[in-house]
Amino acid sequence: MNKHWDIFCKIVDNFGDIGVCWRLARQLQAEHGLQIYLWIDDLSVAKQLIPGLDITLPTQVIQNIAIASWHAASVFNEPADVVIEAFSCELPAAYLSKMRPNTVWINLEYLSAESWVEDFHAGNSKHNHLTRHFFFPGFTPVTGGLLREHAIVANNQQLASNRSLQHQFLHSLNLEDNNRIKISLFCYPHAPIHGLLNAMAHCNQPTDCYVPASSILPTVASFFGKNSIVTGEVLTHKNLNLHVLPFLSQADYDKLLAICDINFVRGEDSWVRAIWAGKPFIWQPYLQTEQTHITKLKAFLALFYGRFDHASRQSTYDAHLAWIGNDISTDVWQDYLNNLATLKTLTLQQTHALATQTDLATKLVIFSKNLTGNRV
Ligand code: TRH
């Protein structure tokens, strides 16, 4: 039985690597009954996403996942049946040396909507007696799919359509329920944040902008003429009320995305969560050399918005390209808002269409079964 899986995660920077690995580990355990070890190189960063993690312990069990410090890998004798190397993080040499030819070794790649992903998904390369398989997440049925828990879309829809549940959630964050447009903002500090906040202040819609605490707070503070801001503060400029939230648990972050009208997301994991929230969103890809992030963005825009009507497609393209550029003007923002009703309907349709595809965790399980001739 391929019951025991090890997932190796190195935290390069930010939260995406651990965000994806922690989510995947929990889904494989909860929905596929697998026994998961999650090996992490930097427990202090992981602690932000894994509640209750004790960074002094070499191993511990949280939410039925055995979490181990990367450095403890050398003391383990038996490799798992399936080994997931997240984002080419390079397995510890001592662990690699114990792997057998029948150990299923899968490198989980970063997500992209580019068409080449279909050709590279499920390829492999030989490493002495071992085979390393390449698993590419993606948006089409011939890729590795998207991380999606079984009930997430239904749960988000329930919250999005139930005012009393929304009220409860907002209350739990010390926020009041009202009829202002709700926007969540999670982005990299180099985004044109001043331009966006200025556009929100001057557009024709009273706006509540929710900002979970992250590295953008100094830039947000400077927009309001302050040196610093802290969780719980509310800052106002013309039509804009900006609320500084704590960094939320992954579950609460999902809820925030589900109740907002527009979500600004970034990187990989929050991008996918915005899709499952079913609300219009603006994605800022992780900055890469040679403008690769722009190529990735354009591939996604074409895939996701290609069939939208001209006006809403154009407003989405304009907003995204302004957001990854130097400024986002009030005109671009107002045009996006003017198309919001249509964007809302079409985005939700895309959410439901993507949710009909097999999810990434299930595809990984099927993939590993096929490699071992259905030993599971
Ligand atoms: O943190 P990121 O920028 O991660 C990035 C990307 O994954 C990128 O592809 C990778 O190369 C780089 O890391 C190293 O953005 P991402 O992927 O959205 O991850 C953020 C995680 O934080 C995600 O799991 C959601 C979670 N989160 C919360 O749990 N609470 C919050 O309040 C917020 C704002 C985010």
Side-chain angles (χ1 to χ4, degrees):
M1 295 278 275
N2 280 349
K3 276 283 185 187
H4 171 194
W5 289 38
D6 278 354
I7 301 175
F8 283 87
C9 174
K10 262 190 196 162
I11 296 170
V12 179
D13 64 359
N14 303 320
F15 305 115
D17 305 291
I18 186 62
V20 167
C21 291
W22 175 233
R23 198 182 291 291
L24 174 65
R26 281 178 297 158
Q27 195 188 349
L28 287 170
Q29 192 280 325
E31 297 183 12
H32 297 275
L34 300 173
Q35 183 194 338
I36 309 289
Y37 272 82
L38 175 57
W39 302 86
I40 304 172
D41 71 330
D42 189 340
L43 293 179
S44 52
V45 175
K47 190 173 167 52
Q48 291 232 38
L49 279 163
I50 306 178
L53 188 71
D54 182 342
I55 61 169
T56 64
L57 296 177
T59 59
Q60 59 202 294
V61 176
I62 297 182
Q63 295 183 33
N64 296 322
I65 307 298
I67 298 177
S69 159
W70 188 276
H71 312 289
S74 56
V75 301
F76 268 73
N77 287 323
E78 275 298 299
D81 304 308
V82 179
V83 179
I84 305 288
E85 178 188 357
F87 312 122
S88 306
C89 66
E90 293 188 7
L91 301 177
Y95 186 93
L96 198 60
S97 67
K98 289 173 197 154
M99 281 165 54
R100 299 179 294 261
N102 66 351
T103 307
V104 177
W105 176 14
I106 301 171
N107 187 56
L108 174 64
E109 303 282 347
Y110 286 113
L111 172 64
S112 174
E114 292 162 283
S115 56
W116 58 260
V117 166
E118 294 189 343
D119 299 327
F120 282 75
H121 174 59
N124 66 61
S125 67
K126 294 283 176 207
H127 293 254
N128 300 319
H129 61 291
L130 300 173
T131 308
R132 186 173 180 231
H133 300 271
F134 301 98
F135 191 96
F136 282 83
F139 294 85
T140 63
V142 283
T143 67
L146 298 169
L147 258 184
R148 189 188 76 247
E149 299 88 347
H150 178 68
I152 187 66
V153 174
N155 288 348
N156 284 341
Q157 283 309 297
Q158 191 192 16
L159 181 56
S161 58
N162 185 322
R163 194 75 196 234
S164 133
L165 289 178
Q166 289 168 31
H167 184 82
Q168 273 173 37
F169 175 64
L170 286 165
H171 187 70
S172 74
L173 297 176
N174 290 323
L175 299 169
E176 70 173 40
D177 200 0
N178 58 43
N179 289 323
R180 299 165 68 91
I181 188 164
K182 295 180 176 56
I183 298 174
S184 77
L185 177 58
F186 180 47
C187 65
Y188 297 113
H190 61 266
I193 294 167
H194 279 207
L196 177 67
L197 298 181
N198 186 58
M200 288 180 186
H202 290 94
C203 73
N204 67 5
Q205 303 241 18
T207 299
D208 271 352
C209 179
Y210 304 118
V211 183
S214 74
S215 55
I216 67 169
L217 289 195
T219 313
V220 172
S222 71
F223 175 80
F224 291 96
K226 300 184 73 156
N227 290 330
S228 62
I229 46 176
V230 293
T231 296
E233 265 189 79
V234 184
L235 302 133
T236 299
H237 180 49
K238 298 193 183 291
N239 254 343
L240 169 66
N241 285 348
L242 183 140
H243 304 258
V244 186
L245 306 186
F247 187 82
L248 303 173
S249 67
Q250 280 188 325
D252 276 354
Y253 185 57
D254 276 338
K255 289 182 183 166
L256 181 70
L257 297 177
I259 64 150
C260 281
D261 301 293
I262 303 168
N263 294 305
F264 281 80
V265 289
R266 73 183 202 190
E268 177 156 334
D269 195 49
S270 57
W271 173 28
V272 176
R273 304 319 282 179
I275 293 173
W276 304 140
K279 295 295 186 64
F281 62 92
I282 294 179
W283 173 51
Q284 183 189 23
Y286 184 74
L287 196 61
Q288 286 177 281
T289 52
E290 297 171 4
Q291 309 282 298
T292 308
H293 59 293
I294 297 180
T295 308
K296 280 180 101 171
L297 174 65
K298 288 187 174 166
F300 176 68
L301 292 178
L303 179 136
F304 197 88
Y305 301 101
R307 295 210 185 128
F308 283 28
D309 66 279
H310 178 75
S312 55
R313 189 173 67 238
Q314 193 61 48
S315 68
T316 305
Y317 273 59
D318 289 348
H320 274 89
L321 294 176
W323 188 232
I324 60 157
N326 294 326
D327 196 15
I328 180 161
S329 67
T330 306
D331 283 352
V332 165
W333 182 240
Q334 187 63 59
D335 187 48
Y336 187 82
L337 294 179
N338 292 345
N339 283 286
L340 197 56
T342 318
L343 284 170
K344 196 175 164 187
T345 307
L346 297 177
T347 302
L348 189 56
Q349 280 172 12
Q350 287 290 58
T351 297
H352 285 306
L354 285 169
T356 61
Q357 294 184 25
T358 309
D359 69 273
L360 185 148
T362 304
K363 283 194 161 191
L364 264 178
V365 171
I366 295 168
F367 186 67
S368 75
K369 274 188 195 174
N370 290 341
L371 289 174
T372 53
N374 290 313
R375 268 195 284 126
V376 179

